[in-house]
């Protein structure tokens, strides 16, 4: 059977939020996220300074993408902002829309922003020891609002797939920006309904 795999375990350092072994590491830099931050001038200004910062990384233990398996791993998002918007993940709907996900906060502090195609928005804070349940049908993006790395464990169905295109084209209805030194959730000025 092509999807037969043997049981295995990996070490997760709960103090540092570092997953000791993984099958794939993905590094996402600012130029990969050009269309995702709302302040395009701030993106270009940063890139023009010959700086293409790493925004986030994930350390993935993927399985065969067939029903029944679970992918898991750790995402780490660096602290920082582009303009006033905090560093964040691209965000996505699952292609297989009936696929939920669990995040477990390990280090740092942030916000998981969620929305549906019907126009609902929701968010949850994420920090060490917090478990966030992302139900089927909800797009999700994680934002680091702290001054340290934000790290969280994720677990989701391995046949879920990722739809980045909808978010690339329309964005999230709500975004998280810094105002007077504090994170604030505002309407995304360039959101397309
Ligand atoms: C997470 C995310 C991870 C990176 O594993 O994939 O945090 O975010 P983007 O996929 O939006 O770049 C997850 O939600 N997987 O389904
Ligand atoms: Zn997901």
């Amino acid at each position: 059977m092509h999807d037969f795999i043997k049981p295995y375990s990996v070490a997760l350092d709960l103090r540092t939020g570092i997953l000791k072994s993984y099958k794939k590491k993905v590094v996402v830099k600012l130029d990969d996220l050009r269309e995702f931050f709302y302040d395009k001038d701030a993106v270009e200004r940063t890139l023009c300074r010959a700086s293409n910062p790493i925004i986030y990384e994930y350390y993935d233990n993927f399985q065969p993408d067939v029903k029944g398996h679970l992918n898991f791993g750790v995402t780490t998002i660096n602290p920082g902002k582009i303009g006033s918007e905090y560093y964040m993940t691209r965000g996505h709907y699952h292609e297989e829309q009936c696929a939920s996900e669990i995040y477990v906060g390990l280090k740092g502090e942030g916000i998981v922003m969620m929305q549906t195609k019907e126009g609902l928005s929701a968010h949850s804070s994420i920090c060490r020891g917090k478990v966030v349940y992302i139900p089927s049908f909800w797009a999700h993006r994680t934002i680091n609002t702290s001054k340290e790395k934000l790290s969280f464990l994720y677990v989701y169905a391995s046949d879920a797939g990722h739809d980045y295109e909808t978010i690339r084209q329309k964005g999230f209805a709500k975004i998280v920006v810094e105002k007077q030194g504090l994170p604030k959730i505002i309407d995304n000025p360039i959101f397309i309904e």
Side-chain angles (χ1 to χ4, degrees):
M1 254 163 64
H2 75 290
D3 61 335
F4 179 81
I5 54 171
K6 288 188 176 163
Y8 70 98
S9 61
V10 297
L12 170 62
D13 186 329
L14 293 172
R15 194 179 47 84
T16 58
I18 289 172
L19 193 62
K20 292 292 171 64
S21 68
Y22 45 85
K23 296 179 182 172
K24 181 179 73 172
K25 175 181 174 182
V26 179
V27 177
V28 183
K29 295 186 171 183
L30 180 58
D31 68 350
D32 303 313
L33 296 170
R34 271 196 155 96
E35 295 129 290
F36 293 86
F37 285 102
Y38 94 92
D39 186 344
K40 309 291 180 237
D41 291 343
V43 171
E44 294 313 317
R45 275 199 310 274
T46 309
L47 291 170
C48 275
R49 289 199 301 263
S51 131
N52 185 17
I54 293 175
I55 308 294
Y56 64 98
E57 293 161 290
Y58 52 101
Y59 302 81
D60 204 32
N61 273 279
F62 60 87
Q63 321 299 346
D65 61 352
V66 292
K67 195 172 169 59
H69 284 296
L70 295 171
N71 288 349
F72 68 95
V74 164
T75 300
T76 61
I77 308 174
N78 285 327
K81 284 177 288 147
I82 298 300
S84 61
E85 190 172 20
Y86 293 99
Y87 282 12
M88 62 187 187
T89 60
R90 234 176 238 123
H92 56 265
Y93 288 93
H94 289 155
E95 265 168 15
E96 172 51 66
Q97 298 221 32
C98 276
S100 47
E101 183 152 0
I102 293 277
Y103 285 177
V104 181
L106 299 169
K107 201 174 188 302
E109 272 178 48
I111 292 173
V112 183
M113 185 58 71
M114 292 164 277
Q115 70 182 27
T116 66
K117 289 185 176 165
E118 288 70 38
L120 297 174
S121 280
H123 66 274
S124 168
S125 63
I126 187 162
C127 58
R128 183 178 170 76
K130 183 123 184 201
V131 181
V132 181
Y133 180 58
I134 303 161
S136 302
F137 301 104
W138 287 80
H140 39 287
R141 159 182 288 168
T142 314
I143 300 117
N144 183 358
T145 56
S146 68
K147 300 226 175 328
E148 60 176 325
K149 228 176 237 252
L150 169 64
S151 160
F152 61 91
L153 176 78
Y154 59 81
V155 186
Y156 66 99
S158 64
D159 61 344
H162 294 93
D163 165 15
Y164 293 108
E165 238 5 77
T166 306
I167 301 300
R168 187 192 306 280
Q169 286 166 18
K170 302 185 171 189
F172 269 74
K174 305 276 181 190
I175 59 171
V176 186
V177 295
E178 187 179 87
K179 283 235 161 102
Q180 289 155 347
L182 292 173
K184 193 158 193 269
I185 296 173
I186 60 164
D187 290 336
N188 181 357
I190 58 167
F191 176 61
I192 299 170
E193 276 184 58

